[in-house]
């Protein structure tokens, strides 16, 4: 297994987004950001599509590569819906 971890912040206020859903649908793995906007979860090694969603923000997606026994760290910025 590998680990995906990181932080989710809002683009405008640069503050942590609490309660955002971070997931890799193909693996049915994910987490919800904590009070500091942080998340961490284990996932199978390989190429994955990561999605981050939260009410009032545009859904974010990114292709990531996870290595065996490696940690992939991400800093994600969500944009408010206009």
């Amino acid at each position: 297994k590998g680990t995906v971890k990181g932080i989710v912040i809002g683009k405008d206020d640069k503050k942590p987004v609490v309660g955002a859903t971070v997931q890799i649908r193909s693996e049915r793995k994910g987490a919800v950001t904590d009070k500091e906007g942080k998340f961490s979860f284990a996932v199978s090694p390989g190429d994955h599509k990561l999605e981050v969603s939260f009410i009032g923000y545009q859904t974010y997606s990114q292709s990531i590569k996870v290595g065996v026994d490696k940690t992939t760290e991400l800093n994600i910025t969500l944009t408010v819906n206009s």
Side-chain angles (χ1 to χ4, degrees):
K1 294 270 185 199
T3 301
V4 177
K5 75 177 201 174
I7 186 167
V8 179
I9 62 168
K11 182 179 181 183
D12 295 334
D13 61 10
K14 304 288 189 253
K15 290 185 178 173
V17 178
V18 179
T21 301
V22 182
Q23 62 185 339
I24 294 175
R25 291 181 185 221
S26 62
E27 292 275 306
R28 295 194 171 141
K29 301 277 184 179
V32 174
T33 57
D34 66 14
K35 63 183 178 174
E36 297 176 335
K38 295 180 181 177
F39 65 90
S40 179
F41 59 94
V43 67
S44 300
D47 295 321
H48 300 287
K49 181 180 177 186
L50 180 94
E51 288 188 359
V52 183
S53 58
F54 189 70
I55 295 170
Y57 289 86
Q58 295 174 17
T59 298
Y60 173 94
S61 65
Q62 175 182 346
S63 296
I64 61 169
K65 187 176 193 75
V66 179
V68 178
D69 296 327
K70 301 282 186 199
T71 298
T72 301
E73 291 197 43
L74 303 167
N75 293 314
I76 297 167
T77 303
L78 294 185
T79 303
V80 175
N81 283 332
S82 48

